[in-house]
Amino acid sequence: MARIAVIGAGMGAMAAAARLAVAGHRVAVYERSQTYGGSLGQHAEEGFAFDTGPGLLHLPAVYRDLFVKTGKEPLERCVTLAQVDPASRHVFADGTVVSLPNASRAGTLAALDTALGGGAGATWGAFLDRARDAWDRSRRPLLEEPLRPDWQVLGRDPYPAEERRRLLRPARRARTVAEIGSWELADPRLDALLDGYALAYGLDPLSAPASAALLPYMEETFGSWYVMGGMRALARAVYERCLARKVEFAFGAEVARIVEKDGRAAGVELADGTVAEADHVVLGARPWPGLVPGQELWADGDVTARADAGASGRFVVMLSLRGGRPADAVHRTVVHPADGADERAAVFGGRTAAHPTVTVLRPDDPSTRPDAEHEAVTLMATVAPHGPVDWTDEALRARFADTLIDAAGAAVPGLRERVLRTMVRTPAETAADTGAEGGAVPAPALAGAGGAFLHAANRTRLPGLLLAGGWSHPGGGLAHAGMSGALVAGTVVEGDGFRGSQ
């Protein structure tokens, strides 16, 4: 039985902790804040409750596997999963509205044909076929096994872009999300639909590789799910599974550095000077300067992290509304702006967008509201991180919240007149709560672009130190965090011979 110290109580870290504990190891988690769950937070006030992080779960199989592998109770006995149908409703700048069904390819293509016309369904279907090829080519090395030493093979984009012939010039193929939208989708509404998927994951369509096409493919193939009681309930279930497997938690326990002995990680030193010895250390947070004094965690040429230049955060507006939720309300509506180029330039150029893409979440969940005569609605937009934009500026926060409320009126008629209370959460709060610089949210790892969108390997140069969570392979997102926990646990248990799930 090995002693294992886990830094952080985010979803990836807890997924690793539960798996390691059930393998017979003694696991202790040290969390700087007073609670667990990382980005899966919840704000509750006056009978209303709001998720402050991800609002939906994709690829629930990742957490089903976690619960099967760590105990007799499956995931569905610990939380209630509700399939969201339609998966999303989209309101475009020209007034076109389309609702996309959950995990129904035929239904999605039919809906696009009906709403957009012009063979839009066939165009999107052909795109999904190419996205499926990218998924099949990259799924295992990108998601299901540790980042290989010859990671450069993932620098090649697996998306089989169509050849675009040009008069008197060499043919070209789309290399980015923006080029797919412009060259392969053609319809500006389909272009906006694809851009919206990229932005939701914090990716700039102008630089994100074409392989990002697998993100809408995953959502539309495997579905979108809501956890009743709010997504925080999923974090609670994973935490309780850890407790049932005798994982120990210390909250308010900030780790200052990793203790090294005889050339390997040997424990952690807390900010108060306390030292906890360990045989392995799992870091469930982004590495910071001085974490391992005098040590480089990666050798020259290794992948270290996704470029900070593309980092983004989330601006969340929580609205307590008078009036009940209509029976025909849609759980998730995305309101697309007329000028996507301006939004991209703002988000990834360090300023606020005049017309952002706004996601409106209206869960049909009695636990989120005091009674049937009220409704809890959450608005969310991808924004520049704290630093380039001063998200502590109260006037700026209020103005941008008003911008989101105005846009959301296209999804919730009469929204402004129903507002009882407005609460705002910005990247500044994310930074304070999670320690992530600028409140940045990590994007999923992607193949292509020479490896620029890969994340640090789970195994570091320092023996005994491994990384889990969104800032490590295979990147950000709930499903990806759960995968990272499985990869870390497998590496500790099986050693150098571990090659991922079979």
Side-chain angles (χ1 to χ4, degrees), residues 30-411:
Y30 301 89
E31 166 59 46
R32 65 189 290 274
S33 75
Q34 297 298 326
T35 189
Y36 54 83
S39 64
L40 281 186
Q42 187 177 72
H43 178 84
E45 189 170 345
E46 297 181 354
F48 293 91
F50 306 86
D51 287 320
T52 58
L56 293 171
L57 174 64
H58 309 293
L59 285 177
V62 173
Y63 287 92
R64 290 187 177 120
D65 181 70
L66 170 64
F67 277 73
V68 166
K69 299 290 177 58
T70 59
K72 296 180 180 180
E73 280 192 305
L75 175 63
E76 276 82 356
R77 285 191 188 174
C78 300
V79 298
T80 299
L81 291 178
Q83 195 169 23
V84 176
D85 201 7
S88 58
R89 177 172 175 258
H90 295 266
V91 180
F92 298 102
D94 67 352
T96 303
V97 177
V98 60
S99 292
L100 304 182
N102 201 338
S104 171
R105 166 103 178 236
T108 293
L109 303 191
L112 290 171
D113 267 337
T114 299
L116 276 59
T123 299
W124 189 255
F127 160 71
L128 288 180
D129 285 340
R130 294 188 291 275
R132 180 189 59 212
D133 288 346
W135 167 260
D136 290 340
R137 294 174 182 180
S138 61
R139 174 180 57 84
R140 181 162 178 77
L142 191 66
L143 301 176
E144 296 179 354
E145 62 185 28
L147 190 66
R148 47 200 296 178
D150 61 338
W151 58 265
Q152 290 84 354
V153 299
L154 288 171
R156 297 192 291 270
D157 199 313
Y159 180 79
E162 289 185 319
E163 188 172 77
R164 180 172 182 260
R165 299 186 180 280
R166 301 184 298 169
L167 183 65
L168 303 179
R169 289 183 294 173
R172 291 191 61 183
R173 298 178 187 272
R175 294 174 297 177
T176 66
V177 168
E179 288 177 346
I180 290 175
S182 176
W183 299 353
E184 295 182 0
L185 301 181
D187 189 310
R189 295 162 296 185
L190 292 180
D191 188 359
L193 179 63
L194 179 58
D195 274 7
Y197 278 109
L199 282 166
Y201 285 95
L203 294 164
D204 182 355
L206 286 176
S207 61
S211 66
L214 62 82
L215 299 174
Y217 171 79
M218 286 192 296
E219 279 200 30
E220 295 190 15
T221 302
F222 303 112
S224 299
W225 304 78
Y226 174 71
V227 180
M228 298 301 291
M231 297 300 292
R232 176 70 177 171
L234 178 63
R236 185 182 309 113
V238 175
Y239 171 67
E240 290 174 351
R241 177 54 54 89
C242 285
L243 293 180
R245 297 297 163 258
K246 309 301 182 186
V247 175
E248 300 176 359
F249 284 81
F251 295 107
E254 183 173 0
V255 171
R257 68 182 183 92
I258 292 171
V259 176
E260 179 191 356
K261 183 178 180 181
D262 299 328
R264 65 173 291 117
V268 297
E269 180 180 332
L270 304 184
D272 64 5
T274 303
V275 173
E277 296 181 349
D279 302 296
H280 298 274
V281 176
V282 176
L283 175 62
R286 194 176 192 178
W288 61 87
L291 175 66
V292 185
Q295 268 279 3
E296 291 293 336
L297 297 185
W298 296 277
D300 289 344
D302 285 349
V303 171
T304 54
R306 178 173 174 267
D308 287 343
S312 61
R314 301 290 182 272
F315 189 98
V316 180
V317 181
M318 297 164 277
L319 299 175
S320 301
L321 304 183
R322 63 171 62 87
R325 181 184 188 273
D328 61 351
V330 173
H331 186 118
R332 175 175 58 166
T333 300
V334 182
V335 181
H336 299 272
D339 190 353
D342 177 74
E343 178 183 21
R344 294 192 297 265
V347 172
F348 301 100
R351 58 183 176 84
T352 57
H355 302 287
T357 299
V358 179
T359 298
V360 182
L361 298 176
R362 306 177 73 182
D364 186 9
D365 184 350
S367 72
T368 65
R369 51 189 183 258
D371 53 50
E373 300 306 314
H374 294 84
E375 183 180 7
V377 171
T378 302
L379 316 180
M380 189 175 299
T382 298
V383 296
H386 181 53
V389 173
D390 180 8
W391 289 115
T392 63
D393 183 327
E394 291 296 337
L396 173 63
R397 293 159 65 100
R399 284 198 305 273
F400 199 66
D402 276 343
T403 297
L404 266 61
I405 293 171
D406 285 342

